[in-house]
Amino acid sequence: MHYYRAHVLVCAGSVCVTSGCRAVKEAILEGITRHQLEEEIKVVETGCMGFCELGPLVVVYPEGVMYCRVKVEDAAVIVNEHLLKGRIVKHLLYQDPNTRKTVTLMKDLPFLSKQTKVAMRNAGLINPEDIEEYIAGEGYLALAKVLSSMSPEEVIIEMKKSGLRGRGGAGFLTGLKWEFTAKARGTQKYVVCNGDEGVPGVFMDRSILEGDPHSVIEAMAIAGYAVGADQGYIYVRAEYPLAVEKLRHAINQACEFGLLGENILGTGFNFEVNIRVGAGAFVCGEETALLASIEGRRGEPRPRPPFPANEGLWGKPTLINNVETLSSVPPIILKGGAWYASMGTEKSKGTKVFALTGKVNNTGLIEVPMGIPLKEIIFDIGGGILNNKKLKAVLAGGPVGGFIPAEHLNVSMDYESLAALGTLIGSGSLTVIDEDTCVVDLVKFFVEFCHEESCGKCTPCRIGTKRMLEILERITRGEGKDGDIEALEVLCDYIKNTALCGLGQSAPNPVLSMLRYFRPELEAHVRDKHCPASVCAFLFDSPCQNTAEGGVR
Amino acid sequence: MPMVTLTIDGKEVQVEQGTTVLEAAKKVNINIPTLCYLKDINVVGACRICVVEVKGARTLQAACVTPAAENMVVLTNTPAVRASRRMTLELILSNHPFECPTCVRNKNCELQSLAEAFGIREVRYSGANPVHVMDDSSVSIIRDPDKCILCRRCASVCEKVQTVSAIGPQGRGFDTVIAPGVDMVLAESNCVNCGQCVLVCPTGAIYERDQTEEVWAALADPQKHVVVQTAPSVRVAIGEMFGMEPGSVATGQMVAAIRKLGFDKVFDTDFAADLTIMEEGSELLERINNGGILPQITSCSPGWVKFIEHFYPTLLPHVSTCKSPQQMFGALAKTFYAEKAGVDPADIFSVSIMPCTAKKFEAQRPEMNASGYQDVDVALTTRELGRMLKQAGIDFNELPEENYDDPLGVSTGAAVIFGATGGVMEAALRTVYEIVTGNTLASVDFVDVRGMEGVKEATVKVGDLDVKVAVAHGLGNARKLLDALQAGEANYHFIEIMCCPGGCIGGGGQPIPTNYEIRQKRIDGIYTADEAMVLRKSHENPAIQQLYKEYLEKPLGHKSHQLLHTKYTSRGQSNQL
Amino acid sequence: MMKRVKSVDELIKFKEAALVKIKERQIGDKTTIVVNMGTCGIAAGARDVMMAIIDEIEKRNISDVIITQAGCAGMCEHEPMLEVIKPCSPQVIYTRLNKEKARRIVIDHVINGRVVEEYALMQQA
């Protein structure tokens, strides 16, 4: 195998692609050719590295120097200076917005300092189109291990020991789900990977599918072995064309290598994986709706029971896990359930990927041990609030979640603690809001999202969210009236208790959370016709109070 | 089946595993309200009106989809349950036009009944609602999506019972609409006009095209000679419109009532049914004797005919060329009868009273003008007749019974049973047997082909031949037979197919509600009417005998072919890419 | 190139072989060779030195070596020069190199751990 003295990694996650990484990569390749460095330096396209706002990102190994916001014209400088002469290009390095210090090496980024990468271990580090790179990083060894030395029962025991819970939102124990499917009666069973990531601002699943597709494929095969399935489906939204492309490529490679297909590694185990591209409805992330969509029917939830573990795809027992959950499986198998369970809290084990967005300095994808205080996420990893503003709250769980107000900043980030605050881990959305954000306006946005994404099957979600939205629209227009808040409360309670599926039941969460923590702000809108954050256009005194344009106050 | 024991409102109840809480509650006389639920057909838990409290459950549970479980504790009437049901009703009403007095389903609407029962006096929530265009493209059925509560019953019946899938949910969320397709109207779809959707709609979102005004106008026109025929199954259903028990045989009152409306002649489709047996039975014998295409399939049911034209056009040569009784009658009314009565056929206005919405489509088929005019001018449903009688202030229940007019009012028991599944087959067997063997049947009752079973089979010895027959009702069952036929596995001589479950007594034009129990009772009524007839075999009908002697000469003769037989159209499918 | 992996053992062997592909991206207990590649170094023949080192490393299938570069060290008359940094041992700077000398440094110092004193400028503690 050819030895290269340096590897140039270009992040080609969807965000970086949007910001022009492909052109940067081409320019670097051009420079390398011009200087005849092809034999010495290898350029690798990787999946998302996680610091999307800094893209396009280029990392040069062996040193691990990270260049941010690289433009096409910067490529020549990197080649001339760094690759040819070994001089680091200072002005392309990351600069901490608070300390103004530059950070040369990627590993020294404060953003990475408190992270522990399990699910995202390979994303951004390997070329997702090269199965050999995945194998080099112990890829498919977990599959080899279960096929050669573990019984399906032992695999399930290990998964249960790990304490891994479904990362898609519901947080159900993964090992238990595997056990239910394994025990379900039926000769034909399926493993389905839920890649229908739909919460706004959340993209860890896309990132993993793009950056490390083999980890999901390997995990599905392991799951197939454990539950007795020989067929898998990966359901990806059509809005993720790059993920679909990488997955297709990875599946083909795995088949070529005999790591999918018949008689895998000579053990007699067969497993194949197919891709299904969904039309990208939020509701299709709900597992019964997802199954309907795979079957070619309208993507709508149906009542459970029967649970998919017993009656899933085409009525057959089906295991459904989301992308992040699956990509955590191979390390658990290799290092043991106990290793995974050593991270996190008593009931929330392991690590969780969060998508950090909003008014925070460092946005992007982070993977941290469960139980980490929220404060460390916002300030140590996130680098604090943008423009040194005051933190108002963090919204966890996106449009179906709730607020963590600033006074609960020390909350341990685990399923139970967040539930106690009336919010949830959900799919890992963390939106930081500062004093300039109007909670009512934000909640209205989320209710609008749930209303737009309602499948329309059950009354509470179809009509209830519409009426909820209409009340909030009136309030933010300055037309709130006595009884509106009570009407919202009754409606929320009703939808939560009556809607057919989890999504409908969760739709009122942001409203309920607002009522719990920001009632005075809501009351100001209704009673005083005043928006304290000066966001709702009808409810502030003069236009210059509005922060929308240029931040003029 | 293992049993489970649960407690509902403090009462212990034991049910088979898999039974829903809703059905279990019925066992202890608790009727949980429903809107979207349709037993075995639409079990989707969509409307949420049937929610109950289940001990240990995080949220309220929809009783219609929640399986009863061992030691489950269910409460069906708590403040939380009532509040939730009220809210569901209010939300649905906030998205529903308040047009009750002008609605076709006024006083026969499930939403209205529930609102009444729950004492809804105000709707706390209001707001914008999607505006849909009314679809009046179809000659049979009109869709008014603004009144739709998205219960999906219509779509489920269309998909699961009829396997037509002409309508289904389009769009998403608040803008969801039940329609044939995005930007498609019913007339362009595969809709066979059976009207089963109309029967199950809880509100007035889908209903028959009302043609009563056209009939009133004809009745008021002194130029017009207005004749009417009534289908076999109308007589066992029309009484329901006036509070009679389902299945009550009200032939005499019906004839008297219709006559009071001012029709010049009140005739019976049964007469044409007997004629159909003569023609269709002869056609069958000819096919058997001369190596024609077998099995022969009946053609009386216009929903069924359109179904095969859409979905199995290659099997059309199996379908009898006989017109349906309605159309045979229509052709004869403006020819044979016109001549006999000395009326200009141009002045004859021919009305039919049918249990069926598809008959409206059939009457308008361009080929149905053998008389030189549109053979049947207006096909009314049982429901439309009921409304006309009410408008005329006719005291239906107290009317003295009257008889049909001659000669197109003379019929036999064999014709009456056309109204129930298996009836055409049985009527045909009664006649074919006696014509072929020359012997008199010991018993005219062929019970093997009766009843609600989806597909029925029988073998009848007719002379030397074992005649193998099959009967299907509901297009889903028809599909099973056709698939077997295509696969070469249907080794029958004769197949009867009726579009609607239970046959015509369960037709889309019948009084609402029409459910399994009511269908059963109407079938019972049909056989009661058959038994009450003096003549029970079509070939014994003296009026038919005379018709052949005077006018048609013989079955399958030249005139028969001209007036009583038809051809079919291969239609293709609208939703095929 | 072998494509189909037919057994667990084959997979493990394959993994070892593939490791070189990504090893450079894993920082650990590795020897680092820093070649000075300023304008002065390149003019004096640093590129030949670099290529010789790469060739030697590749030929001998050594996996735990990082080859990197630095700019001018300010001692232009000593170019081409390089630095060998072994974990837990002093850094050694070699000067006035050519291809052959470079190959010897790889064999003696990098592989066998013996400093080639005759080329060494100094050892840093």
Side-chain angles (χ1 to χ4, degrees):
Chain A
M1 212 165 282
H2 188 73
Y3 181 87
Y4 293 96
R5 72 171 162 85
H7 292 204
V8 179
L9 273 55
V10 182
C11 176
S14 286
V15 181
C16 286
V17 169
T18 317
S19 48
C21 74
R22 286 268 155 79
V24 171
K25 181 192 157 194
E26 289 308 313
I28 291 173
L29 281 173
E30 204 185 298
I32 286 175
T33 313
R34 197 173 336 111
H35 293 285
Q36 295 166 353
L37 298 171
E38 302 100 317
E39 294 296 300
E40 298 166 47
I41 293 162
K42 185 181 184 185
V43 179
V44 182
E45 239 183 54
T46 72
C48 175
M49 296 177 178
F51 339 100
C52 301
E53 53 149 327
L54 303 179
L57 277 166
V58 172
V59 182
V60 181
Y61 284 98
E63 303 92 328
V65 174
M66 183 178 84
Y67 295 119
C68 309
R69 299 195 179 99
V70 180
K71 293 192 266 311
V72 175
E73 52 270 31
D74 297 329
V77 185
I78 292 175
V79 174
N80 285 336
E81 290 297 304
H82 190 152
L83 299 181
L84 198 59
K85 298 172 190 156
R87 286 199 291 250
I88 286 164
V89 187
K90 292 241 164 55
H91 74 273
L92 293 174
L93 296 174
Y94 172 75
Q95 191 183 42
D96 189 301
N98 295 330
T99 60
R100 300 274 156 209
K101 270 194 209 150
T102 55
V103 178
T104 308
L105 301 182
M106 180 149 135
K107 69 180 172 60
D108 296 332
L109 271 185
F111 190 72
L112 279 174
S113 58
K114 299 224 164 164
Q115 295 201 44
T116 309
K117 303 236 176 186
V118 177
M120 305 260 297
R121 64 196 176 282
N122 286 324
L125 193 70
I126 64 166
N127 177 354
E129 298 207 335
D130 188 349
I131 190 172
E132 292 180 24
E133 294 200 2
Y134 179 69
I135 293 173
E138 311 214 303
Y140 288 104
L141 286 191
L143 178 61
K145 183 178 174 184
V146 301
L147 294 184
S148 63
S149 66
M150 293 172 83
S151 68
E153 295 74 30
E154 285 168 336
V155 176
I156 289 170
I157 289 171
E158 211 55 43
M159 289 305 298
K160 284 166 80 177
K161 219 189 276 175
S162 77
L164 174 65
R165 292 166 67 166
R167 298 296 190 230
F172 192 78
L173 279 167
T174 305
L176 217 50
K177 216 172 183 182
W178 288 31
E179 187 173 60
F180 288 155
T181 316
K183 285 186 175 164
R185 247 182 257 172
T187 44
Q188 176 68 59
K189 296 182 184 178
Y190 297 99
V191 173
V192 171
C193 169
N194 183 348
D196 190 64
E197 193 171 43
V199 170
V202 162
F203 55 101
M204 63 284 285
D205 291 351
R206 183 187 72 198
S207 183
I208 292 167
L209 291 175
E210 286 175 5
D212 193 16
H214 286 288
S215 69
V216 176
I217 295 168
E218 181 184 6
M220 287 177 75
I222 293 169
Y225 175 74
V227 305
D230 62 0
Q231 273 193 62
Y233 287 92
I234 304 182
Y235 187 89
V236 197
R237 353 175 19 186
E239 288 92 331
Y240 286 180
L242 193 61
V244 174
E245 183 193 314
K246 304 280 182 200
L247 267 175
R248 285 229 166 88
H249 189 87
I251 290 171
N252 289 341
Q253 274 191 328
C255 289
E256 264 177 51
F257 274 69
L259 295 165
L260 280 180
E262 302 213 328
N263 194 17
I264 296 171
L265 296 174
T267 59
F269 174 66
N270 308 327
F271 196 76
E272 61 171 70
V273 173
N274 293 292
I275 301 176
R276 284 285 183 276
V277 179
F282 182 61
V283 71
C284 286
E286 199 279 343
E287 57 183 20
T288 58
L290 182 144
L291 293 176
S293 181
I294 293 181
E295 291 172 10
R297 292 183 291 120
R298 189 178 157 89
E300 283 178 349
R302 60 157 174 82
R304 298 176 304 179
F307 288 94
N310 292 312
E311 282 179 41
L313 207 52
W314 293 294
K316 305 283 189 271
T318 302
L319 173 72
I320 309 174
N321 283 145
N322 105 316
V323 171
E324 186 189 337
T325 314
L326 284 170
S327 83
S328 304
V329 169
I332 290 173
I333 296 296
L334 284 178
K335 299 183 189 177
W339 161 78
Y340 193 77
S342 70
M343 297 179 283
T345 68
E346 194 197 331
K347 284 186 173 167
S348 304
K349 307 289 193 193
T351 60
K352 170 78 190 109
V353 182
F354 289 98
L356 190 56
T357 57
K359 305 285 184 68
V360 64
N361 278 312
N362 306 326
T363 59
L365 290 178
I366 60 165
E367 184 167 0
V368 290
M370 284 269 185
I372 187 174
L374 177 61
K375 197 176 183 175
E376 291 185 19
I377 292 182
I378 304 303
F379 290 95
D380 298 348
I381 298 174
I385 310 305
L386 215 53
N387 302 321
N388 288 316
K389 293 267 184 176
K390 211 173 129 208
L391 173 73
K392 187 169 187 175
V394 177
L395 188 101
V400 293
F403 296 100
I404 304 170
E407 63 263 31
H408 289 291
L409 198 56
N410 279 322
V411 65
S412 151
M413 294 298 284
D414 59 70
Y415 291 102
E416 289 69 29
S417 306
L418 260 57
L421 291 182
T423 180
L424 40 86
I425 295 271
S427 52
S429 158
L430 288 179
T431 310
V432 177
I433 62 175
D434 67 9
E435 53 198 325
D436 293 339
T437 311
C438 170
V439 164
V440 187
D441 183 64
L442 186 68
V443 165
K444 184 187 76 181
F445 168 78
F446 284 136
V447 170
E448 189 173 5
F449 176 85
C450 287
H451 163 67
E452 292 283 330
E453 293 296 333
S454 167
C455 78
K457 186 170 179 177
C458 77
T459 310
C461 182
R462 183 181 69 244
I463 309 177
T465 58
K466 173 71 173 175
R467 300 298 173 237
M468 205 155 75
L469 175 63
E470 285 170 336
I471 294 173
L472 287 169
E473 280 173 343
R474 264 198 296 108
I475 290 174
T476 52
R477 272 203 312 267
E479 295 164 17
K481 52 178 196 244
D482 272 0
D484 271 351
I485 296 178
E486 292 70 21
L488 272 178
E489 274 178 320
V490 176
L491 204 46
C492 284
D493 187 52
Y494 163 77
I495 298 171
K496 206 171 170 56
N497 273 308
T498 314
L500 193 159
C501 79
L503 297 182
Q505 289 163 12
S506 315
N509 284 351
V511 184
L512 286 166
S513 186
M514 168 173 70
L515 289 165
R516 177 167 170 178
Y517 295 114
F518 297 101
R519 202 177 178 112
E521 190 172 337
L522 179 63
E523 284 169 348
H525 281 73
V526 177
R527 207 180 305 134
D528 311 331
K529 310 283 183 266
H530 174 65
C531 174
S534 292
V535 170
C536 299
F538 290 87
L539 301 180
F540 55 87
D541 303 328
S542 68
C544 58
Q545 276 189 314
N546 193 350
T547 54
E549 294 292 324
V552 182
R553 281 182 76 91
Chain B
M1 199 44 131
M3 304 294 281
V4 292
T5 307
L6 69 161
T7 310
I8 303 178
D9 293 344
K11 278 188 203 163
E12 210 168 77
V13 54
Q14 201 179 39
V15 291
E16 279 185 2
Q17 198 168 27
T19 308
T20 61
V21 169
L22 180 78
E23 297 296 333
K26 280 184 188 156
K27 287 198 147 190
V28 284
N29 306 319
I30 296 165
N31 284 322
I32 296 171
T34 59
L35 266 177
C36 68
Y37 179 72
L38 208 55
K39 195 169 192 276
D40 301 327
I41 297 167
N42 199 45
V43 186
V44 293
C47 75
R48 316 307 283 178
I49 195 83
C50 69
V51 290
V52 294
E53 277 186 45
V54 174
K55 274 264 164 66
R58 198 167 37 86
T59 60
L60 297 174
Q61 303 291 303
C64 70
V65 290
T66 304
E70 189 64 31
N71 296 328
M72 190 183 244
V73 177
V74 178
L75 295 170
T76 72
N77 182 24
T78 66
V81 165
R82 282 194 306 273
S84 176
R85 290 178 185 168
R86 284 186 73 94
M87 178 69 97
T88 298
L89 281 173
E90 285 185 56
L91 288 178
I92 293 174
L93 289 170
S94 80
N95 185 26
H96 192 83
F98 278 53
E99 295 171 359
C100 294
T102 55
C103 179
V104 65
R105 293 290 297 275
N106 188 28
K107 291 162 78 187
N108 188 14
C109 166
E110 294 180 39
L111 179 61
Q112 195 184 41
S113 305
L114 280 173
E116 195 270 324
F118 277 83
I120 307 289
R121 295 291 169 262
E122 64 158 347
V123 175
R124 285 169 289 174
Y125 299 86
S126 64
N129 290 317
V131 178
H132 301 287
V133 185
M134 191 181 277
D135 178 1
D136 61 356
S137 62
S138 160
V139 298
S140 295
I141 291 166
I142 292 173
R143 296 189 308 112
D144 183 1
D146 285 349
K147 286 183 185 158
C148 176
I149 61 167
L150 294 171
C151 70
R152 314 273 184 100
R153 286 184 187 180
C154 55
S156 287
V157 162
C158 195
E159 181 195 335
K160 292 188 189 154
V161 177
Q162 300 297 57
T163 65
V164 170
S165 296
I167 48 173
Q170 312 292 334
R172 200 169 72 177
F174 196 59
D175 297 319
T176 307
V177 58
I178 306 294
V182 179
D183 295 331
M184 195 196 278
V185 291
L186 214 48
E188 303 163 350
S189 73
N190 297 335
C191 173
V192 301
N193 305 307
C194 72
Q196 289 301 309
C197 50
V198 175
L199 292 183
V200 298
C201 181
T203 69
I206 192 158
Y207 52 91
E208 70 283 356
R209 175 180 291 277
D210 188 306
Q211 294 181 285
T212 53
E213 283 307 322
E214 294 169 49
V215 176
W216 284 126
L219 288 170
D221 185 344
Q223 273 296 112
K224 293 286 181 199
H225 183 79
V226 190
V227 300
V228 62
Q229 55 167 320
T230 65
S233 62
V234 176
R235 68 204 66 196
V236 297
I238 183 72
E240 293 166 37
M241 302 284 290
F242 299 91
M244 289 185 179
E245 267 299 298
S248 305
V249 183
T251 320
Q253 286 103 321
M254 177 180 73
V255 171
I258 294 175
R259 194 167 279 134
K260 267 185 168 316
L261 289 176
F263 285 95
D264 294 296
K265 292 288 175 185
V266 183
F267 291 137
D268 198 351
T269 312
D270 288 18
F271 167 85
D274 280 332
L275 182 60
T276 302
I277 290 301
M278 299 307 292
E279 293 290 328
E280 199 162 344
S282 303
E283 184 186 353
L284 176 65
L285 290 173
E286 191 183 276
R287 287 190 190 220
I288 291 174
N289 295 332
N290 300 334
I293 293 172
L294 290 173
Q296 175 178 304
I297 312 179
T298 59
S299 58
C300 319
S301 169
W304 144 245
V305 169
K306 190 160 183 264
F307 177 82
I308 189 171
E309 287 177 331
H310 279 297
F311 296 97
Y312 295 87
T314 57
L315 298 181
L316 279 169
H318 287 272
V319 181
S320 163
T321 59
C322 288
K323 285 181 184 172
S324 71
Q326 165 179 275
Q327 294 305 136
M328 285 196 182
F329 182 97
L332 287 175
K334 292 193 183 181
T335 53
F336 169 70
Y337 169 74
E339 264 175 47
K340 218 175 158 71
V343 184
D344 182 353
D347 289 335
I348 293 183
F349 192 85
S350 180
V351 178
S352 68
I353 312 292
M354 293 284 141
C356 183
T357 43
K359 286 287 175 193
K360 290 175 183 284
F361 176 83
E362 185 185 51
Q364 298 205 1
R365 291 173 79 115
E367 65 270 25
M368 295 298 178
N369 57 358
S371 62
Y373 305 89
Q374 183 172 323
D375 293 334
V376 174
D377 292 287
V378 167
L380 295 181
T381 59
T382 310
R383 293 191 294 272
E384 287 165 275
L385 173 65
R387 286 201 290 271
M388 288 184 78
L389 298 179
K390 284 178 183 173
Q391 284 168 42
I394 290 167
D395 189 355
F396 188 90
N397 296 359
E398 299 303 319
L399 273 185
E401 298 188 22
E402 291 181 16
N403 287 321
Y404 285 106
D405 290 312
D406 284 341
L408 307 189
V410 181
S411 66
T412 72
V416 172
I417 58 174
F418 266 55
T421 169
V424 177
M425 181 58 69
E426 183 169 348
L429 289 172
R430 288 178 188 177
T431 288
V432 168
Y433 179 89
E434 295 204 350
I435 286 178
V436 171
T437 63
N439 302 330
T440 304
L441 278 168
S443 162
V444 297
D445 297 334
F446 291 86
V447 290
D448 286 353
V449 295
R450 296 182 181 180
M452 286 296 279
E453 199 187 320
V455 176
K456 294 163 280 189
E457 288 178 306
T459 304
V460 180
K461 199 148 188 76
V462 178
D464 300 332
L465 185 67
D466 280 333
V467 176
K468 298 180 74 178
V469 302
V471 172
H473 57 115
L475 295 173
N477 294 319
R479 198 180 268 280
K480 287 180 202 161
L481 272 181
L482 295 181
D483 287 340
L485 183 58
Q486 261 183 342
E489 293 159 5
N491 189 22
Y492 304 109
H493 294 95
F494 194 28
I495 297 176
E496 176 204 297
I497 293 179
M498 290 295 157
C499 173
C500 293
C504 303
I505 50 88
Q510 293 283 53
I512 296 170
T514 292
N515 56 33
Y516 186 89
E517 290 73 24
I518 291 175
R519 285 184 162 98
Q520 193 60 59
K521 285 180 183 167
R522 291 182 193 153
I523 289 175
D524 295 345
I526 286 282
Y527 290 111
T528 308
D530 170 31
E531 277 165 30
M533 298 295 278
V534 181
L535 299 174
R536 296 183 65 192
K537 302 161 199 163
S538 297
H539 57 283
E540 290 177 351
N541 182 333
I544 296 290
Q545 290 166 353
Q546 199 173 354
L547 173 68
Y548 278 111
K549 206 188 292 170
E550 283 180 20
Y551 193 71
L552 294 174
E553 293 174 12
K554 59 172 186 184
L556 306 183
H558 175 69
K559 214 153 197 139
S560 289
H561 265 294
Q562 212 183 341
L563 295 176
L564 309 181
H565 290 258
T566 186
K567 56 188 187 315
Y568 303 103
T569 315
S570 170
R571 291 179 190 270
Q573 289 177 45
S574 62
N575 51 1
Q576 267 182 349
L577 295 174
Chain C
M1 128 95 62
M2 177 189 70
K3 269 284 155 91
R4 223 182 146 78
V5 188
K6 294 190 196 70
S7 70
V8 175
D9 290 340
E10 273 185 36
L11 181 68
I12 291 166
K13 275 186 210 140
F14 189 85
K15 181 218 150 185
E16 295 304 328
L19 203 55
V20 68
K21 283 203 145 189
I22 62 161
K23 198 132 197 191
E24 297 327 300
R25 297 170 220 166
Q26 299 173 334
I27 294 157
D29 295 341
K30 290 175 188 170
T31 301
T32 308
I33 304 172
V34 185
V35 182
N36 291 77
M37 298 272 273
T39 309
C40 48
I42 291 171
R47 180 148 305 283
D48 288 342
V49 169
M50 173 71 92
M51 294 314 288
I53 291 169
I54 291 175
D55 184 53
E56 204 63 37
I57 299 273
E58 194 177 311
K59 213 160 63 189
R60 290 167 198 280
N61 198 16
I62 305 165
S63 61
D64 52 354
V65 174
I66 293 171
I67 304 175
T68 181
Q69 53 185 338
C72 169
M75 299 179 287
C76 305
E77 76 277 19
H78 291 288
E79 296 283 2
M81 49 193 279
L82 61 76
E83 190 177 354
V84 175
I85 308 157
K86 286 207 133 208
C88 307
S89 61
Q91 286 165 249
V92 181
I93 294 174
Y94 294 102
T95 61
R96 298 178 198 257
L97 300 172
N98 57 26
K99 285 189 270 188
E100 290 70 34
K101 288 179 182 175
R103 286 182 196 276
R104 201 179 140 198
I105 290 168
V106 172
I107 297 159
D108 285 5
H109 188 174
V110 176
I111 298 174
N112 295 317
R114 290 195 306 267
V115 176
V116 189
E117 289 186 8
E118 52 210 284
Y119 311 150
L121 176 71
M122 58 177 286
Q123 288 190 15
Q124 283 178 342

